[in-house]
Amino acid sequence: MPSVTLPPSVRVIVRGWLNCNQVVMLAPGDNVLVDSGYCTHRERTLELLASRAGLDRQPLERLVNTHCHSDHMGGNAAVANAYGCRITIPAGEVKNVEPWTPQSAWMEEFDQRADPFHYDDTIDAGESFEGGGFEWKAYPAPGHDMDALMFFEPRNRILISGDALWENAMGFVWPGEGANPYIDAARETLATIERLAPAAVIPGHGEPFADAPGAIARVREKLDAFARDPAKNARHVIKSMFVFALLDKQSMPLADVPGYLARVPCYRNVSERFLPPGELAEWLVGDLQRSGAISVADGLLRPTAIG
Ligand SMILES: [Zn+2]
């Protein structure tokens, strides 16, 4: 049961960790979708939009992204193909998706995928769009993604937070020694959310929730710990990225893990800078197994979370 009541014209399809949530805003002749999920689950996303969000045999006019990471825009092309909607991305993300190359949105860096798409226009902080009979104003939400936006509806005090705030965490922030601009930006974003005082938060991942102050306090604690201990942050980033990759692949032979970690740039870059040289694969698999994030059976790693 969701802990918040949303207006009937605002529908949330709660997904997992590979796919972000989809927010559908229904208004006659002007239906809007926020964020499209990961590309390998595009068929499922289209099915859910039709069956659960009321977009069966209905047009979708516009798709708006909170940010251009693969789990939020990977399905943009599929949704635009199915509905002919226009696509709006945060203005700051243009440089990350145009021109579209294997390096776009850091996909090669992380071994992720997204179908190439064409955006029609951009939205910047301070600008608004209509959705579900309400006006949603864009606020800067840097930290996890320095170009991300979040959308706030002041009448019902609903915030679509993307990966800037989840109920018990947020999207990872890059580790850095000393002053860390990503952590500073994330803290600023939390202060913005505090000022907005939302009655309901629709996060990029997980169920919508009401207790924004509680969530903010939990995330601040994590950011403080990451600022004090960049290696802890580095371990968190590596674990998050690897579980994400496993959700995409569904399984990976245990024997392939060291080669995979050596091959995909983000693991090498982060571990070289922050972790002692040695058995990255052994530590990673052991840690994720102990925390219950993965299972290992018959020489195969599998994720335990839903995609
Ligand atoms: Zn996300």
Side-chain angles (χ1 to χ4, degrees):
M1 278 288 288
S3 60
V4 295
T5 311
L6 297 168
S9 63
V10 177
R11 305 198 182 169
V12 184
I13 304 173
V14 176
R15 306 290 293 275
W17 295 98
L18 181 66
N19 297 280
C20 70
N21 295 337
Q22 277 76 62
V23 187
V24 178
M25 301 164 172
L26 298 170
D30 194 16
N31 295 328
V32 176
L33 166 68
V34 175
D35 284 345
S36 64
Y38 197 72
C39 65
T40 49
H41 290 204
R42 55 179 94 71
E43 297 304 325
R44 177 73 183 143
T45 300
L46 293 175
E47 209 179 281
L48 288 169
L49 288 175
S51 65
R52 271 212 238 145
L55 288 177
D56 191 19
R57 288 184 297 276
Q58 273 218 45
L60 173 68
E61 275 72 20
R62 192 180 193 185
L63 163 56
V64 184
N65 290 122
T66 56
H67 60 298
C68 284
H69 283 176
S70 62
D71 56 325
H72 294 254
M73 57 71 177
N76 276 12
V79 171
N81 280 341
Y83 288 96
C85 58
R86 79 183 212 259
I87 295 179
T88 304
I89 65 171
E93 297 282 12
V94 168
K95 61 180 176 298
N96 301 322
V97 299
E98 196 183 68
W100 189 276
T101 70
Q103 284 80 31
S104 293
W106 307 278
M107 275 179 288
E108 199 169 68
E109 173 87 10
F110 294 108
D111 181 35
Q112 295 179 1
R113 274 157 290 285
D115 296 326
F117 66 92
H118 292 285
Y119 69 92
D120 299 281
D121 51 27
T122 62
I123 182 167
D124 212 343
E127 296 175 346
S128 301
F129 67 90
E130 300 276 329
F134 304 107
E135 190 162 337
W136 300 80
K137 188 172 170 186
Y139 287 82
H144 169 65
D145 176 333
M146 296 303 265
D147 301 302
L149 295 174
M150 52 192 176
F151 305 122
F152 184 66
E153 192 287 294
R155 255 172 54 200
N156 298 283
R157 312 200 67 76
I158 303 169
L159 178 73
I160 296 174
S161 61
D163 288 349
L165 183 68
W166 307 332
E167 191 166 12
N168 292 303
M170 63 172 287
F172 72 73
V173 288
W174 277 115
E177 293 289 355
N180 180 327
Y182 305 101
I183 290 183
D184 290 347
R187 285 180 173 139
E188 257 176 62
T189 299
L190 293 178
T192 306
I193 297 175
E194 207 163 41
R195 281 195 297 276
L196 292 173
V201 178
I202 302 173
H205 303 268
E207 293 283 347
F209 58 92
D211 182 17
I216 290 169
R218 286 187 286 276
V219 172
R220 279 191 175 134
E221 220 170 277
K222 285 183 205 287
L223 290 174
D224 289 348
F226 289 156
R228 279 193 305 271
D229 185 356
K232 180 188 175 80
N233 192 10
R235 290 193 296 271
H236 174 67
V237 170
I238 288 175
K239 286 189 277 185
S240 306
M241 292 320 311
F242 188 71
V243 169
F244 188 88
L246 263 192
L247 283 167
D248 182 17
K249 297 173 196 313
Q250 285 304 301
S251 69
M252 186 186 293
L254 182 58
D256 290 0
V257 177
Y260 180 78
L261 297 177
R263 195 166 62 243
V264 179
C266 71
Y267 300 103
R268 209 174 45 233
N269 296 344
V270 174
S271 66
E272 268 173 10
R273 283 166 60 214
F274 295 100
L275 302 182
E279 293 304 318
L280 177 63
E282 206 174 299
W283 159 75
L284 180 62
V285 171
D287 193 286
L288 291 175
Q289 223 179 339
R290 273 191 300 280
S291 69
I294 62 166
S295 65
V296 184
D298 303 326
L300 270 190
L301 271 59
R302 290 183 200 281
T304 53
I306 56 161

Coordinates of all heavy atoms in Angstrom, one line a residue, residues 98-176:
E98 N 23.9 14.4 -27.1 CA 24.1 14.9 -28.5 C 25.5 15.3 -28.7 O 26.0 16.2 -28.0 CB 23.1 16.1 -28.7 CG 22.9 16.4 -30.1 CD 22.0 17.7 -30.3 OE1 22.5 18.8 -29.9 OE2 20.9 17.5 -30.7
P99 N 26.2 14.7 -29.7 CA 25.7 13.6 -30.6 C 25.7 12.3 -29.8 O 26.3 12.2 -28.8 CB 26.8 13.6 -31.6 CG 28.1 14.0 -31.0 CD 27.6 15.1 -29.9
W100 N 24.9 11.4 -30.3 CA 24.7 10.1 -29.6 C 25.9 9.2 -30.0 O 26.1 8.9 -31.2 CB 23.4 9.4 -30.0 CG 23.1 8.2 -29.2 CD1 23.5 7.0 -29.4 CD2 22.3 8.2 -28.0 NE1 23.1 6.1 -28.4 CE2 22.3 6.9 -27.6 CE3 21.6 9.1 -27.3 CZ2 21.6 6.4 -26.4 CZ3 20.9 8.7 -26.2 CH2 20.9 7.4 -25.8
T101 N 26.7 8.8 -29.1 CA 27.9 7.9 -29.3 C 27.9 6.8 -28.2 O 27.1 6.9 -27.3 CB 29.2 8.7 -29.2 OG1 29.4 9.1 -27.9 CG2 29.2 9.9 -30.1
P102 N 28.8 5.8 -28.3 CA 28.8 4.9 -27.2 C 29.1 5.5 -25.9 O 28.8 5.0 -24.8 CB 30.0 3.9 -27.6 CG 30.0 4.0 -29.1 CD 29.6 5.5 -29.4
Q103 N 29.8 6.7 -25.9 CA 30.1 7.4 -24.7 C 28.9 8.3 -24.1 O 29.0 8.8 -23.0 CB 31.3 8.3 -24.9 CG 32.6 7.6 -24.9 CD 32.9 7.0 -26.3 OE1 32.4 7.5 -27.3 NE2 33.6 5.9 -26.4
S104 N 27.8 8.4 -24.9 CA 26.7 9.2 -24.5 C 26.2 8.8 -23.1 O 26.1 7.6 -22.9 CB 25.6 9.1 -25.5 OG 25.9 9.7 -26.7
A105 N 25.9 9.7 -22.3 CA 25.4 9.5 -20.9 C 26.3 8.4 -20.2 O 25.7 7.6 -19.4 CB 23.9 9.0 -21.0
W106 N 27.5 8.4 -20.5 CA 28.5 7.5 -19.8 C 28.2 6.0 -19.9 O 28.5 5.2 -19.1 CB 28.6 7.9 -18.3 CG 28.8 9.3 -18.1 CD1 30.1 9.9 -18.2 CD2 27.9 10.3 -17.9 NE1 29.9 11.3 -18.0 CE2 28.6 11.6 -17.8 CE3 26.5 10.3 -17.7 CZ2 27.9 12.8 -17.6 CZ3 25.9 11.5 -17.5 CH2 26.6 12.7 -17.4
M107 N 27.5 5.6 -21.0 CA 27.1 4.3 -21.1 C 28.2 3.3 -21.3 O 28.2 2.2 -20.7 CB 26.0 4.1 -22.2 CG 24.6 4.5 -21.6 SD 23.3 4.3 -22.7 CE 23.7 5.7 -23.8
E108 N 29.2 3.7 -22.0 CA 30.3 2.8 -22.2 C 31.1 2.6 -20.9 O 31.5 1.6 -20.5 CB 31.3 3.3 -23.3 CG 32.2 2.2 -23.8 CD 32.9 2.7 -25.1 OE1 33.8 3.6 -25.0 OE2 32.6 2.2 -26.1
E109 N 31.2 3.8 -20.2 CA 31.9 3.8 -18.9 C 31.3 2.8 -17.9 O 32.0 2.2 -17.1 CB 31.7 5.2 -18.3 CG 32.2 5.5 -16.9 CD 33.7 5.8 -16.9 OE1 34.3 6.1 -17.9 OE2 34.2 5.8 -15.7
F110 N 30.0 2.6 -18.0 CA 29.3 1.8 -17.0 C 28.8 0.5 -17.6 O 28.1 -0.3 -16.9 CB 28.1 2.5 -16.4 CG 28.4 3.7 -15.6 CD1 28.2 5.0 -16.1 CD2 29.0 3.5 -14.4 CE1 28.5 6.1 -15.3 CE2 29.3 4.6 -13.6 CZ 29.1 5.9 -14.1
D111 N 29.0 0.2 -18.8 CA 28.5 -1.0 -19.5 C 26.9 -1.0 -19.4 O 26.3 -1.9 -19.0 CB 29.0 -2.3 -18.9 CG 28.5 -3.5 -19.6 OD1 28.2 -3.4 -20.8 OD2 28.2 -4.5 -18.9
Q112 N 26.3 0.2 -19.8 CA 24.9 0.3 -19.8 C 24.4 0.5 -21.3 O 25.2 0.8 -22.1 CB 24.4 1.4 -18.9 CG 24.8 1.2 -17.5 CD 24.3 2.3 -16.6 OE1 23.7 3.3 -17.0 NE2 24.6 2.2 -15.3
R113 N 23.1 0.4 -21.5 CA 22.5 0.6 -22.8 C 21.3 1.6 -22.7 O 20.7 1.7 -21.7 CB 22.0 -0.7 -23.3 CG 23.1 -1.5 -24.0 CD 22.7 -3.0 -24.1 NE 22.8 -3.6 -22.7 CZ 24.0 -3.9 -22.2 NH1 25.1 -3.6 -22.8 NH2 24.0 -4.4 -20.9
A114 N 21.1 2.2 -23.9 CA 19.8 3.0 -24.0 C 19.6 3.1 -25.5 O 20.6 3.1 -26.3 CB 20.0 4.4 -23.4
D115 N 18.3 3.0 -26.0 CA 18.1 3.2 -27.4 C 18.3 4.7 -27.7 O 17.8 5.6 -27.0 CB 16.6 2.8 -27.7 CG 16.4 1.3 -27.4 OD1 17.4 0.5 -27.6 OD2 15.3 1.0 -27.0
P116 N 19.0 5.0 -28.8 CA 19.1 6.4 -29.2 C 17.8 7.1 -29.4 O 16.9 6.4 -30.0 CB 19.9 6.4 -30.5 CG 20.4 5.0 -30.6 CD 19.6 4.1 -29.8
F117 N 17.6 8.3 -29.0 CA 16.3 9.0 -29.2 C 16.6 10.4 -29.6 O 17.7 10.9 -29.5 CB 15.5 8.9 -27.9 CG 16.1 9.7 -26.8 CD1 15.8 11.1 -26.6 CD2 17.0 9.2 -25.9 CE1 16.3 11.8 -25.6 CE2 17.6 9.9 -24.9 CZ 17.2 11.2 -24.7
H118 N 15.6 11.0 -30.2 CA 15.7 12.5 -30.5 C 14.8 13.2 -29.6 O 13.6 12.9 -29.4 CB 15.2 12.7 -31.9 CG 16.1 12.1 -33.0 ND1 17.3 12.6 -33.3 CD2 16.0 11.0 -33.7 CE1 17.9 11.9 -34.2 NE2 17.1 10.8 -34.4
Y119 N 15.4 14.2 -28.9 CA 14.6 15.1 -28.1 C 14.0 16.2 -28.9 O 14.6 16.6 -29.9 CB 15.4 15.6 -26.8 CG 16.5 16.6 -27.2 CD1 16.2 17.9 -27.2 CD2 17.7 16.1 -27.6 CE1 17.2 18.9 -27.5 CE2 18.7 17.0 -27.9 CZ 18.4 18.4 -27.9 OH 19.4 19.3 -28.2
D120 N 12.9 16.8 -28.5 CA 12.2 17.8 -29.3 C 12.5 19.2 -28.6 O 12.5 20.2 -29.3 CB 10.7 17.6 -29.4 CG 10.5 16.3 -30.1 OD1 10.5 16.3 -31.3 OD2 10.2 15.2 -29.5
D121 N 12.6 19.2 -27.3 CA 12.8 20.5 -26.6 C 13.4 20.2 -25.3 O 13.6 19.0 -24.9 CB 11.6 21.4 -26.5 CG 10.4 20.6 -26.0 OD1 10.6 19.6 -25.2 OD2 9.2 21.0 -26.3
T122 N 13.7 21.3 -24.6 CA 14.4 21.1 -23.3 C 13.6 21.9 -22.2 O 12.8 22.8 -22.5 CB 15.8 21.7 -23.3 OG1 15.8 23.1 -23.6 CG2 16.7 21.0 -24.3
I123 N 13.9 21.6 -21.0 CA 13.3 22.3 -19.8 C 14.4 22.6 -18.9 O 15.4 21.8 -18.7 CB 12.2 21.5 -19.1 CG1 11.5 22.3 -18.0 CG2 12.6 20.1 -18.6 CD1 10.2 21.7 -17.5
D124 N 14.4 23.8 -18.3 CA 15.4 24.2 -17.4 C 14.8 24.6 -16.1 O 13.6 24.8 -16.0 CB 16.1 25.5 -18.0 CG 17.6 25.5 -17.6 OD1 18.0 24.8 -16.7 OD2 18.4 26.2 -18.3
A125 N 15.7 24.6 -15.0 CA 15.2 25.0 -13.7 C 14.5 26.4 -13.8 O 14.9 27.3 -14.5 CB 16.4 25.1 -12.8
G126 N 13.4 26.5 -13.1 CA 12.6 27.7 -13.1 C 11.4 27.7 -14.2 O 10.5 28.4 -14.1
E127 N 11.5 26.7 -15.1 CA 10.5 26.6 -16.1 C 9.5 25.6 -15.6 O 9.7 24.8 -14.7 CB 11.1 26.2 -17.5 CG 12.0 27.3 -18.1 CD 12.7 26.9 -19.3 OE1 12.7 25.6 -19.7 OE2 13.2 27.7 -20.0
S128 N 8.3 25.6 -16.3 CA 7.2 24.7 -15.8 C 6.6 23.9 -17.0 O 6.8 24.3 -18.1 CB 6.1 25.5 -15.2 OG 6.5 26.2 -14.1
F129 N 5.9 22.8 -16.7 CA 5.1 22.2 -17.7 C 3.8 21.8 -17.1 O 3.6 21.6 -15.8 CB 5.8 21.0 -18.3 CG 6.1 19.8 -17.4 CD1 5.1 18.8 -17.3 CD2 7.2 19.8 -16.6 CE1 5.4 17.7 -16.4 CE2 7.5 18.7 -15.8 CZ 6.5 17.7 -15.6
E130 N 2.7 21.6 -17.9 CA 1.4 21.2 -17.5 C 1.3 19.7 -17.5 O 1.8 19.0 -18.4 CB 0.3 21.7 -18.5 CG 0.3 23.2 -18.6 CD -0.5 23.8 -17.5 OE1 -1.5 23.2 -17.1 OE2 -0.2 25.0 -17.2
G131 N 0.8 19.1 -16.4 CA 0.6 17.7 -16.4 C -0.5 17.3 -15.4 O -0.5 17.7 -14.3
G132 N -1.5 16.5 -15.9 CA -2.6 16.0 -15.0 C -3.4 17.1 -14.5 O -4.0 17.0 -13.4
G133 N -3.5 18.3 -15.2 CA -4.3 19.4 -14.7 C -3.6 20.3 -13.7 O -4.2 21.1 -13.1
F134 N -2.3 20.0 -13.5 CA -1.5 20.8 -12.6 C -0.3 21.4 -13.3 O 0.1 21.0 -14.4 CB -1.0 20.0 -11.4 CG -2.1 19.3 -10.7 CD1 -2.3 17.9 -10.8 CD2 -3.0 20.0 -9.9 CE1 -3.4 17.3 -10.2 CE2 -4.0 19.4 -9.2 CZ -4.2 18.0 -9.4
E135 N 0.4 22.4 -12.6 CA 1.6 22.9 -13.2 C 2.8 22.4 -12.4 O 2.8 22.5 -11.1 CB 1.5 24.5 -13.1 CG 2.6 25.1 -13.9 CD 2.4 26.5 -14.2 OE1 1.2 27.0 -14.3 OE2 3.4 27.3 -14.5
W136 N 3.7 21.9 -13.0 CA 4.9 21.3 -12.4 C 6.1 22.2 -12.7 O 6.5 22.4 -13.9 CB 5.2 19.9 -12.9 CG 4.0 19.0 -12.7 CD1 2.9 18.9 -13.4 CD2 3.9 18.0 -11.6 NE1 2.0 18.0 -12.8 CE2 2.6 17.4 -11.7 CE3 4.7 17.6 -10.5 CZ2 2.2 16.4 -10.9 CZ3 4.3 16.7 -9.7 CH2 3.0 16.1 -9.8
K137 N 6.7 22.7 -11.6 CA 7.9 23.6 -11.8 C 9.2 22.8 -11.6 O 9.3 22.0 -10.7 CB 7.8 24.7 -10.8 CG 8.8 25.8 -11.1 CD 8.6 27.0 -10.2 CE 9.8 28.0 -10.3 NZ 9.7 29.1 -9.4
A138 N 10.1 23.1 -12.5 CA 11.4 22.4 -12.5 C 12.4 23.1 -11.5 O 12.5 24.3 -11.5 CB 12.0 22.3 -13.9
Y139 N 13.0 22.3 -10.7 CA 14.0 22.8 -9.8 C 15.3 22.0 -10.0 O 15.3 20.8 -10.4 CB 13.6 22.5 -8.3 CG 12.5 23.4 -7.8 CD1 11.2 23.2 -8.1 CD2 12.8 24.6 -7.1 CE1 10.2 24.0 -7.7 CE2 11.8 25.5 -6.7 CZ 10.5 25.2 -7.0 OH 9.5 26.0 -6.6
P140 N 16.5 22.7 -9.8 CA 17.7 22.0 -10.0 C 17.9 20.9 -9.0 O 17.5 21.1 -7.8 CB 18.8 23.1 -9.8 CG 18.1 24.2 -9.1 CD 16.7 24.1 -9.4
A141 N 18.4 19.7 -9.4 CA 18.6 18.6 -8.5 C 19.9 18.0 -8.7 O 20.1 16.7 -8.9 CB 17.5 17.6 -8.7
P142 N 21.0 18.8 -8.7 CA 22.4 18.2 -8.9 C 22.8 17.3 -7.7 O 22.3 17.4 -6.6 CB 23.2 19.4 -9.1 CG 22.6 20.5 -8.2 CD 21.1 20.2 -8.3
G143 N 23.8 16.5 -8.0 CA 24.4 15.6 -7.0 C 24.7 14.3 -7.6 O 25.8 14.0 -8.1
H144 N 23.6 13.4 -7.7 CA 23.8 12.1 -8.4 C 24.1 12.4 -9.9 O 24.9 11.7 -10.5 CB 22.5 11.3 -8.2 CG 22.3 10.1 -9.1 ND1 23.2 9.0 -9.0 CD2 21.5 9.8 -10.1 CE1 22.8 8.1 -9.8 NE2 21.8 8.6 -10.5
D145 N 23.3 13.3 -10.5 CA 23.6 13.7 -11.9 C 23.5 15.3 -11.8 O 22.5 15.8 -11.4 CB 22.4 13.2 -12.8 CG 22.5 13.7 -14.2 OD1 23.1 14.8 -14.4 OD2 22.0 13.0 -15.1
M146 N 24.6 15.9 -12.2 CA 24.8 17.3 -12.0 C 23.8 18.1 -12.8 O 23.6 19.3 -12.6 CB 26.2 17.8 -12.2 CG 27.2 17.2 -11.3 SD 26.9 17.5 -9.5 CE 27.9 19.0 -9.2
D147 N 23.2 17.5 -13.8 CA 22.2 18.2 -14.7 C 20.8 17.8 -14.5 O 19.9 18.1 -15.3 CB 22.6 17.9 -16.2 CG 24.0 18.4 -16.5 OD1 24.3 19.6 -16.3 OD2 24.9 17.6 -16.8
A148 N 20.5 17.1 -13.4 CA 19.2 16.5 -13.2 C 18.2 17.7 -12.7 O 18.7 18.7 -12.2 CB 19.2 15.5 -12.1
L149 N 17.0 17.4 -13.0 CA 15.9 18.3 -12.5 C 14.9 17.5 -11.6 O 14.9 16.3 -11.7 CB 15.1 18.9 -13.6 CG 15.9 19.9 -14.6 CD1 15.0 20.3 -15.7 CD2 16.4 21.1 -13.8
M150 N 14.2 18.2 -10.7 CA 13.1 17.6 -10.1 C 11.9 18.5 -10.3 O 12.0 19.7 -10.6 CB 13.3 17.3 -8.6 CG 13.8 18.6 -7.8 SD 14.4 18.1 -6.2 CE 15.0 19.7 -5.6
F151 N 10.7 17.9 -10.2 CA 9.5 18.7 -10.6 C 8.5 18.8 -9.4 O 8.2 17.7 -8.8 CB 8.8 18.0 -11.8 CG 9.7 17.8 -12.9 CD1 9.9 16.5 -13.5 CD2 10.3 18.8 -13.5 CE1 10.8 16.3 -14.5 CE2 11.2 18.7 -14.6 CZ 11.4 17.4 -15.1
F152 N 8.1 20.0 -9.1 CA 7.2 20.2 -7.9 C 5.9 20.8 -8.3 O 5.8 21.8 -9.1 CB 8.0 21.2 -7.0 CG 7.2 21.4 -5.7 CD1 7.0 20.3 -4.8 CD2 6.7 22.6 -5.3 CE1 6.4 20.5 -3.6 CE2 6.0 22.8 -4.1 CZ 5.9 21.8 -3.2
E153 N 4.8 20.3 -7.7 CA 3.5 20.7 -8.0 C 3.0 21.4 -6.7 O 2.7 20.7 -5.7 CB 2.6 19.5 -8.4 CG 1.3 19.9 -9.0 CD 0.3 20.4 -7.9 OE1 -0.1 19.6 -7.1 OE2 -0.1 21.6 -7.9
P154 N 2.8 22.7 -6.6 CA 2.6 23.4 -5.4 C 1.2 23.2 -4.8 O 1.1 23.4 -3.6 CB 2.9 24.9 -5.7 CG 2.7 25.0 -7.2 CD 3.0 23.7 -7.7
R155 N 0.2 22.9 -5.6 CA -1.2 22.9 -5.0 C -1.3 21.7 -4.1 O -1.8 21.8 -3.0 CB -2.2 22.8 -6.1 CG -2.9 24.1 -6.2 CD -3.8 24.3 -7.4 NE -4.8 23.3 -7.6 CZ -5.4 23.1 -8.7 NH1 -5.1 23.8 -9.8 NH2 -6.4 22.2 -8.8
N156 N -0.8 20.5 -4.5 CA -0.9 19.3 -3.7 C 0.4 19.0 -3.0 O 0.6 18.1 -2.3 CB -1.3 18.1 -4.6 CG -2.6 18.2 -5.2 OD1 -3.6 18.0 -4.5 ND2 -2.7 18.6 -6.5
R157 N 1.4 19.9 -3.3 CA 2.8 19.7 -2.7 C 3.4 18.4 -3.0 O 3.8 17.7 -2.2 CB 2.8 20.0 -1.2 CG 2.0 21.3 -0.8 CD 2.4 21.8 0.6 NE 3.8 22.2 0.6 CZ 4.2 23.4 0.1 NH1 3.3 24.2 -0.5 NH2 5.4 23.8 0.1
I158 N 3.3 18.0 -4.3 CA 3.9 16.8 -4.8 C 5.3 17.0 -5.4 O 5.4 17.9 -6.3 CB 3.0 16.1 -5.8 CG1 1.6 15.8 -5.2 CG2 3.6 14.7 -6.2 CD1 0.6 15.4 -6.3
L159 N 6.3 16.3 -5.0 CA 7.6 16.4 -5.7 C 7.9 15.1 -6.4 O 7.9 14.0 -5.8 CB 8.7 16.6 -4.6 CG 10.1 16.7 -5.1 CD1 10.3 18.1 -5.9 CD2 11.1 16.6 -4.0
I160 N 8.3 15.3 -7.7 CA 8.9 14.1 -8.4 C 10.4 14.3 -8.3 O 11.0 15.2 -8.9 CB 8.4 14.2 -9.9 CG1 6.9 13.9 -9.9 CG2 9.1 13.1 -10.7 CD1 6.3 14.1 -11.3
S161 N 11.0 13.4 -7.5 CA 12.4 13.7 -7.1 C 13.5 13.0 -7.9 O 14.7 13.3 -7.8 CB 12.6 13.3 -5.6 OG 12.3 11.9 -5.5
G162 N 13.1 12.2 -8.9 CA 14.1 11.4 -9.6 C 15.0 10.7 -8.7 O 14.5 10.0 -7.8
D163 N 16.3 10.8 -8.9 CA 17.2 10.1 -8.0 C 17.9 11.0 -7.0 O 18.8 10.6 -6.3 CB 18.3 9.4 -8.9 CG 17.8 8.2 -9.6 OD1 16.6 7.8 -9.4 OD2 18.5 7.7 -10.5
A164 N 17.3 12.2 -6.8 CA 17.8 13.1 -5.8 C 17.4 12.7 -4.4 O 18.1 13.1 -3.4 CB 17.4 14.5 -6.1
L165 N 16.3 12.0 -4.3 CA 15.8 11.6 -2.9 C 14.9 10.4 -3.1 O 13.9 10.4 -3.8 CB 15.0 12.7 -2.2 CG 14.6 12.4 -0.8 CD1 15.7 12.3 0.1 CD2 13.6 13.5 -0.3
W166 N 15.3 9.3 -2.5 CA 14.4 8.1 -2.4 C 14.0 8.0 -0.9 O 14.5 8.8 0.0 CB 15.1 6.8 -2.8 CG 15.7 6.9 -4.1 CD1 15.3 7.6 -5.2 CD2 16.9 6.1 -4.6 NE1 16.2 7.4 -6.3 CE2 17.1 6.4 -5.9 CE3 17.7 5.2 -3.9 CZ2 18.2 5.9 -6.6 CZ3 18.8 4.6 -4.7 CH2 19.0 5.0 -6.0
E167 N 13.2 7.1 -0.5 CA 12.7 7.0 0.9 C 13.9 6.7 1.8 O 13.9 7.3 2.9 CB 11.6 6.0 1.0 CG 10.9 6.1 2.4 CD 9.6 5.3 2.5 OE1 9.4 4.5 1.6 OE2 8.9 5.5 3.5
N168 N 14.8 5.9 1.4 CA 15.9 5.5 2.3 C 17.3 5.8 1.8 O 18.3 5.4 2.4 CB 15.8 4.0 2.7 CG 14.5 3.8 3.6 OD1 14.4 4.4 4.6 ND2 13.6 2.9 3.1
A169 N 17.4 6.4 0.7 CA 18.7 6.7 0.1 C 18.5 7.7 -1.1 O 17.5 8.3 -1.2 CB 19.3 5.4 -0.4
M170 N 19.6 7.7 -1.9 CA 19.5 8.5 -3.2 C 20.4 7.8 -4.2 O 21.2 6.9 -3.8 CB 19.8 10.0 -3.0 CG 21.3 10.2 -2.5 SD 21.8 11.9 -2.5 CE 22.0 12.2 -4.3
G171 N 20.4 8.3 -5.4 CA 21.3 7.8 -6.4 C 22.7 8.1 -6.0 O 23.0 9.1 -5.3
F172 N 23.7 7.2 -6.3 CA 25.0 7.4 -5.7 C 25.7 8.7 -6.2 O 25.3 9.2 -7.3 CB 25.9 6.2 -6.1 CG 26.3 6.1 -7.5 CD1 27.2 6.9 -8.1 CD2 25.8 5.1 -8.3 CE1 27.6 6.8 -9.4 CE2 26.1 5.0 -9.6 CZ 27.0 5.8 -10.2
V173 N 26.6 9.2 -5.4 CA 27.3 10.4 -5.8 C 28.8 10.0 -6.0 O 29.3 9.1 -5.3 CB 27.2 11.5 -4.8 CG1 25.8 12.2 -4.8 CG2 27.6 11.1 -3.4
W174 N 29.5 10.6 -6.9 CA 30.9 10.2 -7.2 C 31.7 10.5 -6.0 O 31.6 11.5 -5.3 CB 31.4 11.0 -8.4 CG 31.0 10.4 -9.7 CD1 30.2 11.0 -10.6 CD2 31.4 9.2 -10.2 NE1 30.1 10.1 -11.7 CE2 30.8 9.0 -11.4 CE3 32.2 8.1 -9.7 CZ2 31.0 7.8 -12.2 CZ3 32.4 7.0 -10.4 CH2 31.8 6.9 -11.7
P175 N 32.6 9.5 -5.7 CA 33.6 9.8 -4.6 C 34.7 10.7 -5.0 O 35.0 10.9 -6.1 CB 34.1 8.3 -4.3 CG 34.0 7.6 -5.6 CD 32.8 8.3 -6.4
G176 N 35.2 11.4 -4.0 CA 36.3 12.4 -4.2 C 37.0 12.6 -2.9 O 36.4 12.6 -1.9

